Amino acid sequence: GDYVKDPQNTRILGAFKLTGKTKDGLSLGVMESVTDRMYSMTTTNNVEDKVESEPYTNYMVGSVMQDFDKGNTRFGGVITATNRDLSNPILKDKLPGSAYTGGLRFEHNWKDRKYTLQILAEFSEVNGTAPAMKLIQESSVHYFQRPDASYVKYDTTRTSLLGHGGSINFMKMGSGHFRYLFWLNWRSPGLELNDVGFIRKADDIFQVAWLSYKLWEPTSIYRQLNIESNQWTDWDFGGRNTFKGGNIGINSQLKNYWWANLYMGIDGSNIDNSILRGGPSLKLPGDYNINYSVSSDDRKKFVYGFFNAFSFGFNNVSQSIDYGIDLSYRPIDAIKITLSPGFETAYNNMQYVDKISGRYIMARIDQRMFRSSFRFEYYPRPNMSVQYYGQPFIFAGDYSNFKKVTNPMASVYADRIHIYGNNEVQLANDTYTVMENGNASNQFSFDNPNFKSFAFLSNLVFRWEYIPGSTVYLVWSQNRGGSDKIANFNFGKDFSNIYQVYPQDVFMIKFSYRF
């Protein structure tokens, strides 16, 4: 339509939740809900209409967990189900008709919980029409259509998608100077959890090793000292090492009860399977990074701290510098006020712009970001609290130095791209026109990608535990958000623009009774 107004939420027609734990250590939980059919209002050539944009949907989540040996061993699982009424042909080819996920969890602790072993396994099955499954395969979670992903099967006729994942975690977190952890996580290319749950990226095998050495006997310099290091490696399911890196750090409580931290790390060159949005993988230079922080004695009424983080990419591909402060004030025991503003400036020479006539267009993006969080907590009585949280956010992105990818996996960075010269790129009427090598026959255009985003999120929560275990919550949540095409960062003007945006307000009441 010429104008479309989409619903931002679905209406819940009915929901049920039950949780509990028996005296024998069996924990059970089930949640079931049905959401209403929703419509988008459209206007085309002054004719108003409505189009179904969300079908009747049933969601279910169930869980069970059994404790053994006084909770030192636990075993259980979770299952979810999503079923949609897709009688409307418009939605039938857009959404999966059903989606099921499940998982098993085993955890064992021994030697007074000094050692822990956790094993998790999960699966998913999504079903729908071939066009709906095509959309899922091509989504940013999977990108099955990548031309160099020979190990996955991109099938536009399939009507279901299966996937699996899991993790193995072994750690020593108990007594002694040394503590360590080894973690391995995998998600197959077909794992899909986004009907109930969330997954950003499939096709991933990720490994982490962590080692820490702690000194707790005070000296003339510190009260306690901890030295730690991390190592990580990632592969895709084609067996290709996509990135690796590590860091080393030290954090300490000084003799005067102040805290100080310093970390240094390095990431090697990486292979990004998703940066070209379904195109071939692109090899990117790595970076090295440094961050440190200092904070005052947290026993005081007024606590303050500062942190700074740097990241420098190899081949001058990227850079970021981040500053922030943390302030906390407790005038009386029942009140605590915290404020944490921060500002980041960064650039990245390999920011994706668009795919045009088979060309993958990249650019340099210069970024400016301000963010802050404000918290107010008041506890008039142990069973009652008032909490407020506010978060303003401003982000500006300015694009320049446009280029195209020529040889995405070349060993030399400069051979992977062709940077357009000033004689090849022109900006007019907020549109870029490119004439490769000055040849009008190789001309193409794209919109100016510059942008600015600003938002303010806030929540106010009143909690009253009227009897032990039973609680009433009153919640007010407000969201203000907007954007424009002017990338110049102007804090005063941008901050005032936030309050010119019409807000979205949500009021909620939650009542629980424990018996």
Side-chain angles (χ1 to χ4, degrees), residues 239-255:
R240 186 167 54 181
N241 180 206
T242 53
F243 65 83
K244 55 188 173 184
N247 68 8
I248 187 169
I250 182 171
N251 55 80
S252 174
Q253 186 181 42
L254 306 179
K255 195 69 174 179

Side-chain angles (χ1 to χ4, degrees), residues 135-323:
L135 290 176
I136 292 179
Q137 292 177 81
E138 294 176 349
S139 72
S140 60
V141 178
H142 306 284
Y143 286 139
F144 275 22
Q145 73 274 28
R146 288 186 290 124
D148 55 350
S150 59
Y151 56 93
V152 298
K153 185 179 180 182
Y154 176 53
D155 184 355
T156 58
T157 64
R158 76 163 74 218
T159 56
S160 64
L161 184 65
L162 301 176
H164 62 87
S167 67
I168 300 173
N169 180 7
F170 173 72
M171 56 185 168
K172 173 185 179 288
M173 302 299 290
S175 60
H177 293 285
F178 281 102
R179 300 176 185 183
Y180 48 83
L181 173 147
F182 178 83
W183 182 60
L184 178 68
N185 180 80
W186 71 93
R187 294 173 294 213
S188 76
L191 186 65
E192 175 59 48
L193 308 175
N194 284 318
D195 291 276
V196 175
F198 178 75
I199 180 172
R200 185 189 302 274
K201 176 187 174 186
D203 186 16
D204 187 61
I205 303 171
F206 186 48
Q207 166 268 323
V208 174
W210 169 78
L211 176 65
S212 169
Y213 183 73
K214 188 170 185 178
L215 298 170
W216 52 79
E217 296 181 0
T219 68
S220 59
I221 300 176
Y222 60 81
R223 301 187 63 83
Q224 56 179 286
L225 179 71
N226 183 56
I227 303 172
E228 63 181 16
S229 64
N230 294 275
Q231 171 273 326
W232 52 83
T233 311
D234 188 86
W235 303 267
D236 60 26
F237 267 67
R240 186 167 54 181
N241 180 206
T242 53
F243 65 83
K244 55 188 173 184
N247 68 8
I248 187 169
I250 182 171
N251 55 80
S252 174
Q253 186 181 42
L254 306 179
K255 195 69 174 179
N256 60 357
Y257 290 94
W258 281 49
W259 291 90
N261 306 280
L262 173 65
Y263 285 82
M264 297 179 290
I266 187 170
D267 284 288
S269 60
N270 64 87
I271 298 173
D272 196 321
N273 290 337
S274 60
I275 188 172
L276 296 184
R277 312 297 199 267
S281 302
L282 178 62
K283 190 174 182 179
L284 297 171
D287 63 66
Y288 65 92
N289 50 81
I290 303 171
N291 69 80
Y292 65 90
S293 64
V294 178
S295 60
S296 65
D297 184 353
D298 55 14
R299 302 173 305 165
K300 305 292 185 180
K301 286 188 174 183
F302 181 55
V303 182
Y304 51 94
F306 170 81
F307 73 87
N308 193 195
F310 303 86
S311 176
F312 302 95
F314 301 126
N315 300 105
N316 293 319
V317 167
S318 61
Q319 176 182 297
S320 68
I321 304 175
D322 192 5
Y323 306 90

Side-chain angles (χ1 to χ4, degrees), residues 394-397 450-454 482-490 493-494 497:
I394 304 169
F395 184 96
N450 287 358
F451 72 98
K452 183 187 295 179
S453 297
F454 41 86
S483 63
D484 60 41
K485 299 284 289 183
I486 301 175
N488 294 332
F489 190 93
N490 186 321
K493 182 179 179 180
D494 295 337
N497 285 340

Side-chain angles (χ1 to χ4, degrees), residues 21-37:
K21 188 171 184 177
T22 70
K23 62 181 181 179
D24 297 324
L26 179 65
S27 299
L28 298 169
V30 62
M31 183 168 64
E32 167 78 17
S33 66
V34 178
T35 58
D36 198 3
R37 177 183 294 153

